[in-house]
Amino acid sequence: IEIPENVDTNQYTFKMLRKNKIEGILSCKERMEDGKSYLYVDIGNKKSIIQEYEEKELQLEDMIVIFQKLILILEELRKYLLGESMVVMNPGYIFKDIETDDLYVLLLPWETKNRNFRDLAEFFLEKINHKDENGVNAAYLFYRQQNQPQFSVYQFLSILEKESILKRQKTKNTVTVQTRNADVLEETEKNKNQ
């Protein structure tokens, strides 16, 4: 990734990336090539979440795990006094370790504008299992809320977890009703045969 010419690579954020291995942040090195500075990112044995969900649908629980892990990464950044706005919230730059399932993100130390979740929101809308009503609702809610000035990943995770609880309760109620119906049918059959 080319580092813009007007960026001072001696600034605090670059120093933090050079001197520390920050959990959840892709490791990278600066290199000069043809008089230009580049940030080389090591993805190693990781694949983007786009690749992860290339052939399978995203479930509500997957969204929850992604947000939980993103929050852990954002909290780790705070320890180093690095801003959330530096994290690229694009599914092509959010990686999952193949062996550990840990999540990694790309951090651009010169980026200071507000985070943009639009690409991630569109990815969720495209990949969510459309038979999962709670998952679809959560994906649409994220899409609508992500552009709001007061949007918070932390608050959104809370909403996702509530959707998951509702989904589990609905599934449990459906199973209970099905079990009761089966019991009634079985009792009816016994009474007929007597």
Side-chain angles (χ1 to χ4, degrees), residues 162 164-175:
K162 286 176 189 171
S164 180
I165 290 167
L166 289 173
K167 179 181 175 181
R168 280 186 258 137
Q169 286 175 343
K170 188 175 180 181
T171 302
K172 183 179 176 184
N173 291 343
T174 302
V175 169

Side-chain angles (χ1 to χ4, degrees), residues 66-67 70-71 74 84-85 87-91 94 114-125 139 142-148 151-154 156:
I66 289 169
F67 274 98
L70 283 174
I71 285 173
L74 296 178
E84 297 174 13
S85 62
V87 176
V88 179
M89 292 293 181
N90 178 304
I94 299 173
N114 290 335
R115 305 182 300 276
N116 184 348
F117 289 94
R118 186 178 186 88
D119 291 333
L120 186 58
E122 289 175 354
F123 171 76
F124 285 154
L125 281 176
F142 175 58
Y143 184 80
R144 284 194 314 269
Q145 287 188 354
Q146 54 86 26
N147 250 350
Q148 301 300 318
F151 175 74
S152 162
V153 178
Y154 299 91
F156 190 73

Side-chain angles (χ1 to χ4, degrees), residues 11 24 32 50 125 148 151 159 166 181 191-192:
Q11 64 181 311
M32 289 292 288
I50 289 176
L125 281 176
Q148 301 300 318
F151 175 74
I159 292 168
L166 289 173
N181 287 346
N191 290 338
K192 281 183 184 178

Side-chain angles (χ1 to χ4, degrees), residues 7-24:
V7 171
D8 177 10
T9 59
N10 290 317
Q11 64 181 311
Y12 174 80
T13 53
F14 278 90
K15 289 177 183 177
M16 283 293 106
L17 281 178
R18 276 187 222 115
K19 293 181 180 181
N20 300 287
K21 181 169 175 31
I22 304 172
E23 195 171 322

